């Protein structure tokens, strides 16, 4: 075995780890302990400041300077009590990570002493040097400044002695350079539009919040093996590796118990997360070996997005303590499942009602149907945007592959709700007035929805957007993605749809003098008819669906560059501008950034692949080949010509096969390098992404295929990379 592979496996096998003992503290004892949340705020803030901060959180009211000073000083007191020495603005730039720049509270005085200081202006605004974050050309170099601004709706928290303040990140000229800014605007647009529609049903509704419950999938791999795989450590996925004899076909991992070492890790990161107020609740094995999932209780979407970003960070840090690496890549291993991040989404009112949950009365259910049907209509109109929202180099491996929802967007609602919509469509007469009997009949049926849903066991795992009883589950989101991207799109399209709905219903009530219920029925009926193409109850993984979707006129953007184009299509620009979520300039900048990110990812993969193939794999194969050649020479010496032919046949074939594969690999690597050079010369970001997608990436398959074949031919003793069976089945 090659030294590096040998050492990695040896260190893994000889590694002891602390068995998990019983938990000492109750979760409720430490939950939220490191968050400047409700409890800390009440304890540390004056009543007046508390009220003003609440108003800022609920209604977006601006916080005045003196209040900010008060908040800052109590935050500092609270944080110092917990041992914090530094503070940072914490934000989510468009490179997909989170960013922070720590400053000490400490301030030297002229007499040589020092004090701890943290003012309202420190809290409200900071100017990190923004030039190293992607801006898509929004910032010219001479105005390289961007600034971060406090988001009071997401509470501050402490990590590793630093007080972290969630902020937005914008350019000096006010354009969004992050995920949070447009997310907050999209949530605001949804709030306004949904409250207006709720007024038809309940005058007490003054606020609607989008809710998000994500489910995070991930792989774990031992640190030593990770380091012995340059592809994993540089690209987050394995570029080579033959499938092991046993993969996930027995599905025994899903039902198996969680390995002890993994369990210890889970408990550790969960405890850290819970202290940060992330309401993490479930954990389990996934289908693929070494794949796991965790999920929290759902929260208001902005907070849930922050919590997911924070969780990924915590998980990565804690993994190191356990000598693991956590892989968030969408497809770390070929041939077994990839990882996603289901986004469960709904809307809830200040009156405590989930708008996607049917209620006990027909009126409540008409409200449910209104939001339910409008969501489907929004999805139908803007399906391409939902596809664009989940586009990334990593997710391209997953979408359309056998275990993941396809790149075609559709909605699954189950047979019972399908029947309800069919009935609505059938019974509401176009344009005309319904008799009181007809109306009563319809309402009676609508009243039965909750009973139907109670025994709704319909589950369709293959749909990218499935209704699951009281929420929609957007399943096509990638495991490494920032959920904000999906949340920006879904909340904006539903906001837009609800505004259109409101204006259509108002028109029918005004011009045609229809009563409210009938006006609502009329519009919903039309939406049901118009959006039928987006509803699909069958097997989303089948080839049949690809053909069927094409007939229905649904797009199937298989690759990221073409999926991203939708962001700068006229309809998309108009939509985001009208809802005041993103301007044309911001949209174009984001489009460019995403194309660049895509190109860079494929470029890095291509470089790593070339290096590994030419400098690691091929030399190993040649070493083995020369051993074979020596052996064959020996056979020739000791055997007669006739006997030699018999004795050396298989080895001669091996020698030729190795030559053949090595030749293909080296030629492909050379051609790939040429393709890369040509791609690098292109100055247009879209053309470059295309070149990487269609000219560079296709070589990956040929190179990998031949390398993986060599893995099966070459002596296991000298193979240079840890194998799939070693990475996936030892822990
Ligand atoms: P499953 O979908 O596996 O049946 P659950 O119904 O518990 O499991 O939901 C899975 C996820 O959906 C959890 O993260 C949960 O917090 C979230 N969820 C449940 N209700 C809502 C809601 N109203 N809005 C957003 N997310 C929700
Ligand atoms: Mg789920």
């Amino acid at each position: 075995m090659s030294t590096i592979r040998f050492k990695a496996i040896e260190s893994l096998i000889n590694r002891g780890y602390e068995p998990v003992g019983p938990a000492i503290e109750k979760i409720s004892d430490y939950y939220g302990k490191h968050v400047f949340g409700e409890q800390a705020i009440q304890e540390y803030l004056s009543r007046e400041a508390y009220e003003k901060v609440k108003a800022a959180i609920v209604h977006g009211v601006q916080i005045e300077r003196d209040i900010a000073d008060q908040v800052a000083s109590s935050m500092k007191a609270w944080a110092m009590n917990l041992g914090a020495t530094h503070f940072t603005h914490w934000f989510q730039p468009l490179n997909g990570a989170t960013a922070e720049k720590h400053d000490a509270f400490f301030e030297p005085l002229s007499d040589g002493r020092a004090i701890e200081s943290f003012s309202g202006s420190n809290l409200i605004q900071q100017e990190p040097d923004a030039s190293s974050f992607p801006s898509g050309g929004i910032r010219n170099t001479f105005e390289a400044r961007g600034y971060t601004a406090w988001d009071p709706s997401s509470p501050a928290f402490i990590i590793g002695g630093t007080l972290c303040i969630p902020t937005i990140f914008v350019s000096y000229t006010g354009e969004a350079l992050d995920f949070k800014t447009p997310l907050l605007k999209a949530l605001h647009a949804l709030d306004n539009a949904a409250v207006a529609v709720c007024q038809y049903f309940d005058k007490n509704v003054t606020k609607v919040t989008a809710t998000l419950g994500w489910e995070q999938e991930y792989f774990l791999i031992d640190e030593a093996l990770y380091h012995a795989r340059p592809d994993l450590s540089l690209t987050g996925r394995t570029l080579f590796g033959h499938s092991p004899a046993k993969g996930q076909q027995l599905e025994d991992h899903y039902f198996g118990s969680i390995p002890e070492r993994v369990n210890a890790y889970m408990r550790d990161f969960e405890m850290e997360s819970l202290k940060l107020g992330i309401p993490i609740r479930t954990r389990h094995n996934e289908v693929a070996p070494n794949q796991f999932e965790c999920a929290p209780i759902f929260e208001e979407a902005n907070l849930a997005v922050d919590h997911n970003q924070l969780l990924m960070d915590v998980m990565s840090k804690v993994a190191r303590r356990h000598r693991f690496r956590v892989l968030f890549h969408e497809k770390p291993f070929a041939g077994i499942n990839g990882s996603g991040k289901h986004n469960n989404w709904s809307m809830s009112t200040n009156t405590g009602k989930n708008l996607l949950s049917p209620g006990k009365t027909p009126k409540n259910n008409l409200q449910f149907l209104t939001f339910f049907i409008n969501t489907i209509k929004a999805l139908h109109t803007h399906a391409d945007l939902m596809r664009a929202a989940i586009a990334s180099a990593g997710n391209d491996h997953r979408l359309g592959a056998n275990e993941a929802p396809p790149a075609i967007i559709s909605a699954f609602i189950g047979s019972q709700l399908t029947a309800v919509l069919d009935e609505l469509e059938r019974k509401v007469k176009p344009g005309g007035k319904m008799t009181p009997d007809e109306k009563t009949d319809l309402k009676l049926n609508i009243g039965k929805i909750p009973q139907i849903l109670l025994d709704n066991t319909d589950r369709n795992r293959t749909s990218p957007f499935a209704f699951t009883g009281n929420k929609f589950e957007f399943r096509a989101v990638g495991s490494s993605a920032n959920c904000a991207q999906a949340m920006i799109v879904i909340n904006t399209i539903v906001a837009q749809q609800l505004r259109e709905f409101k204006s259509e219903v108002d028109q029918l009530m005004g011009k045609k003098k229809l009563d409210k219920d009938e006006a609502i029925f009329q519009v919903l009926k039309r939406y049901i008819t118009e959006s039928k193409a987006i509803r699909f109850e069958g097997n989303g993984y089948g080839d049949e669906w690809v053909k069927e979707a094409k007939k229905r006129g649904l797009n199937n953007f298989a690759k990221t560059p073409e999926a991203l184009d939708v962001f700068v299509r006229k309809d998309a620009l108009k939509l985001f501008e009208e809802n005041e979520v993103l301007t044309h300039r911001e949209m174009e900048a984001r489009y460019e950034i995403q194309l660049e990110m895509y190109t860079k990812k494929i470029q890095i993969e291509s470089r790593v692949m070339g290096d590994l193939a030419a400098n690691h794999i091929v030399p190993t194969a040649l070493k083995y080949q020369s051993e074979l050649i020596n052996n064959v020479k020996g056979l020739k010496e000791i055997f007669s010509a006739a006997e030699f032919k018999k004795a050396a046949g298989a080895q001669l074939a091996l020698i030729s096969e190795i030559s053949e594969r090595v030749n293909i690999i080296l030629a492909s690597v050379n051609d790939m390098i040429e393709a890369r050079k040509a791609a690098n010369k292109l100055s247009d970001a879209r053309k470059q992404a295309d070149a990487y997608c269609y000219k560079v990436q296709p070589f990956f398959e040929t190179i990998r295929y031949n390398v993986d074949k060599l893995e099966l031919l070459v002596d296991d003793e000298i193979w240079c990379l840890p194998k799939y069976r070693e990475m996936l089945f030892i822990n």
Side-chain angles (χ1 to χ4, degrees):
M1 200 179 284
S2 71
T3 16
I4 182 152
R5 180 165 155 243
F6 176 75
K7 277 193 177 155
I9 291 164
E10 190 193 33
S11 81
L12 171 59
I13 289 167
N14 293 335
R15 175 165 309 157
Y17 62 93
E18 295 283 314
V20 211
I24 300 163
E25 285 175 289
K26 293 197 299 292
I27 291 177
S28 54
D29 290 341
Y30 57 81
Y31 180 65
K33 201 167 153 188
H34 291 170
V35 185
F36 193 63
E38 192 68 30
Q39 204 189 335
I41 291 177
Q42 288 204 23
E43 190 178 327
Y44 282 82
L45 270 189
S46 70
R47 189 80 218 163
E48 184 205 5
Y50 172 78
E51 297 294 343
K52 297 228 161 128
V53 170
K54 279 268 125 180
I57 294 171
V58 180
H59 302 295
V61 178
Q62 190 118 33
I63 291 181
E64 300 142 31
R65 204 40 172 252
D66 62 318
I67 298 293
D69 280 332
Q70 279 190 47
V71 175
S73 104
S74 36
M75 246 185 214
K76 184 188 72 180
W78 167 80
M80 282 173 55
N81 253 344
L82 289 165
T85 53
H86 287 66
F87 69 93
T88 182
H89 278 193
W90 180 83
F91 55 102
Q92 297 164 35
L94 295 167
N95 60 13
T98 52
E100 39 195 85
K101 177 186 153 233
H102 299 198
D103 277 320
F105 289 133
F106 132 91
E107 210 155 281
L109 298 175
S110 55
D111 63 2
R113 292 176 305 144
I115 53 161
E116 267 74 28
S117 109
F118 180 59
S119 67
S121 56
N122 291 146
L123 167 66
I124 289 181
Q125 195 170 315
Q126 251 189 347
E127 285 189 26
D129 175 15
S131 54
S132 48
F133 296 111
S135 73
I138 276 179
R139 255 181 295 96
N140 318 340
T141 30
F142 58 86
E143 51 165 66
R145 281 180 305 174
Y147 62 91
T148 51
W150 179 33
D151 166 20
S153 64
S154 181
F157 53 88
I158 297 175
I159 291 190
T162 298
L163 170 67
C164 302
I165 297 143
T167 56
I168 58 164
F169 179 42
V170 293
S171 77
Y172 205 65
T173 41
E175 276 110 352
L177 297 174
D178 68 345
F179 286 107
K180 194 190 259 287
T181 308
L183 174 64
L184 289 171
K185 291 179 173 175
L187 293 170
H188 183 66
L190 180 85
D191 180 10
N192 284 341
V195 165
V197 171
C198 281
Q199 292 296 308
Y200 289 141
F201 309 97
D202 183 354
K203 296 281 181 218
N204 294 320
V205 174
T206 52
K207 169 118 185 138
V208 170
T209 37
T211 51
L212 164 65
W214 38 262
E215 303 164 54
Q216 179 72 54
E217 290 182 331
Y218 61 97
F219 279 87
L220 281 178
I221 178 165
D222 183 83
E223 179 177 74
L225 295 168
Y226 174 87
H227 286 307
R229 292 282 316 211
D231 47 357
L232 260 188
S233 47
L234 295 177
T235 72
R237 74 179 180 107
T238 54
L239 298 170
F240 301 119
H242 199 280
S243 323
K246 172 180 182 284
Q248 63 185 50
Q249 59 275 67
L250 301 177
E251 302 210 336
D252 46 356
H253 187 249
Y254 192 74
F255 298 106
S257 63
I258 297 173
E260 224 178 307
R261 184 178 167 208
V262 174
N263 194 47
Y265 163 67
M266 287 176 167
R267 284 182 48 173
D268 203 358
F269 87 69
E270 284 170 3
M271 187 193 262
E272 296 282 331
S273 307
L274 288 159
K275 282 183 192 162
L276 291 165
I278 306 170
I280 200 110
R281 200 158 68 162
T282 60
R283 55 162 100 121
H284 60 81
N285 288 351
E286 268 299 327
V287 179
N290 272 6
Q291 192 188 27
F292 308 92
E293 182 188 290
C294 65
I297 297 165
F298 69 92
E299 299 176 281
E300 183 277 318
N302 175 43
L303 190 56
V305 167
D306 283 0
H307 278 167
N308 181 243
Q309 287 298 112
L310 198 51
L311 174 97
M312 290 199 284
D313 198 33
V314 169
M315 283 175 75
S316 303
K317 282 183 180 141
V318 175
R320 286 168 187 244
R321 292 213 284 266
H322 293 256
R323 306 184 77 172
F324 275 129
R325 286 304 147 105
V326 54
L327 307 176
F328 289 119
H329 195 285
E330 282 74 14
K331 194 75 183 175
F333 302 98
I336 58 174
N337 281 5
S339 300
K341 175 149 54 198
H342 296 179
N343 276 206
N344 295 275
W345 172 88
S346 188
M347 293 159 278
S348 87
T349 65
N350 59 306
T351 55
K353 171 112 190 59
N354 175 355
L355 291 171
L356 289 177
S357 178
K360 291 203 174 63
T361 63
K363 188 177 89 173
N364 264 333
N365 284 339
L366 186 55
Q367 174 171 297
F368 158 72
L369 278 178
T370 296
F371 282 92
F372 178 69
I373 294 167
N374 269 288
T375 304
I376 293 169
K377 178 75 160 76
L379 188 75
H380 176 253
T381 314
H382 303 287
D384 293 349
L385 270 176
M386 290 287 272
R387 167 66 185 98
I390 49 161
S392 72
N395 220 13
D396 276 4
H397 295 287
R398 193 175 149 259
L399 295 179
N402 221 19
E403 87 286 355
I408 308 162
I409 298 294
S410 66
F412 168 86
I413 62 170
S415 55
Q416 286 99 335
L417 278 169
T418 301
V420 171
L421 297 201
D422 286 349
E423 188 180 75
L424 233 172
E425 190 186 20
R426 208 172 44 240
K427 289 203 170 156
V428 178
K429 298 207 190 79
K433 300 213 168 172
M434 294 167 82
T435 66
D437 275 357
E438 285 170 336
K439 249 190 252 175
T440 312
D441 179 42
L442 202 59
K443 282 190 185 165
L444 261 176
N445 281 314
I446 289 173
K448 289 186 194 135
I449 296 174
Q451 287 103 293
I452 304 177
L453 286 186
L454 275 183
D455 56 54
N456 179 0
T457 43
D458 268 344
R459 282 272 160 169
N460 181 332
R461 294 257 147 232
T462 66
S463 175
F465 195 75
F467 186 71
T468 48
N470 55 5
K471 61 193 183 284
F472 278 100
E473 185 168 339
F474 189 21
R475 300 199 179 114
V477 182
S479 48
S480 71
N482 185 321
C483 304
Q485 189 76 337
M487 286 297 113
I488 291 166
V489 169
I490 189 164
N491 289 298
T492 306
I493 64 175
V494 173
Q496 171 71 24
Q497 180 52 51
L498 290 171
R499 286 201 290 135
E500 282 171 23
F501 172 77
K502 171 92 171 53
S503 104
E504 295 193 62
V505 170
D506 284 351
Q507 255 190 11
L508 288 184
M509 285 164 65
K511 254 199 229 139
K512 292 214 166 174
K513 305 239 177 320
L514 293 186
D515 75 27
K516 189 178 69 193
D517 284 357
E518 192 163 355
I520 291 172
F521 280 136
Q522 284 293 330
V523 179
L524 291 184
K525 172 203 164 88
R526 188 159 48 75
Y527 286 177
I528 293 170
T529 312
E530 287 171 356
S531 62
K532 227 174 248 175
I534 205 72
R535 274 159 50 199
F536 179 62
E537 303 286 305
N539 175 16
Y541 296 173
D543 293 334
E544 283 307 300
W545 171 226
V546 177
K547 283 183 220 147
E548 164 71 15
K550 197 169 180 183
K551 261 195 247 157
R552 294 187 184 189
L554 301 177
N555 281 320
N556 182 2
F557 297 124
K559 295 284 189 177
T560 292
E562 63 213 53
L564 290 176
D565 285 345
V566 178
F567 277 139
V568 287
R569 232 166 50 183
K570 260 198 189 136
D571 57 333
L573 294 175
K574 186 159 168 275
L575 171 83
F576 284 100
E577 184 124 301
E578 268 182 27
N579 287 280
E580 297 182 3
V581 175
L582 287 161
T583 64
H584 287 204
R585 199 162 124 88
E586 288 171 322
M587 290 295 284
E588 269 151 21
R590 272 156 198 269
Y591 171 63
E592 192 134 314
I593 290 166
Q594 282 198 273
L595 287 172
E596 276 170 15
M597 297 261 297
Y598 174 83
T599 294
K600 281 180 191 158
K601 289 246 160 92
I602 310 284
Q603 187 181 52
I604 293 168
E605 286 185 350
S606 163
R607 285 178 181 153
V608 173
M609 192 162 219
D611 168 50
L612 273 182
N615 306 327
H616 299 227
I617 309 283
V618 166
T620 305
L622 294 182
K623 213 182 280 169
Y624 179 55
Q625 192 188 41
S626 61
E627 252 178 55
L628 292 172
I629 291 169
N630 281 335
N631 194 47
V632 168
K633 278 183 188 161
L635 292 176
K636 191 155 198 176
E637 264 172 39
I638 60 171
F639 283 126
S640 70
E643 283 169 327
F644 169 74
K645 226 175 163 182
K646 234 162 110 189
Q651 291 185 61
L652 286 169
L654 252 178
I655 291 169
S656 324
E657 184 173 350
I658 291 175
S659 286
E660 232 170 81
R661 303 223 177 264
V662 164
N663 285 339
I664 297 175
I665 291 168
L666 290 180
S668 306
V669 168
N670 276 332
D671 292 348
M672 179 172 75
I673 292 172
E674 289 311 313
R676 221 160 61 211
K677 281 186 190 157
N680 292 344
K681 286 205 187 94
L682 301 169
S683 55
D684 179 84
R686 176 63 176 85
K687 290 200 178 114
Q688 198 169 45
D690 224 43
Y692 268 94
C693 183
Y694 294 107
K695 297 271 162 50
V696 176
Q697 205 184 30
F699 287 107
F700 291 12
E701 205 179 315
T702 321
I703 298 171
R704 176 173 195 147
Y705 178 78
N706 286 284
V707 166
D708 290 354
K709 287 284 180 202
L710 284 178
E711 184 188 318
L712 294 186
L713 300 180
V714 172
D715 183 0
D716 180 70
E717 283 283 308
I718 63 167
W719 191 251
C720 49
L721 298 173
K723 296 183 172 179
Y724 268 33
R725 70 174 141 80
E726 291 157 347
M727 291 187 285
L728 291 168
F729 293 97
I730 314 177
N731 49 45

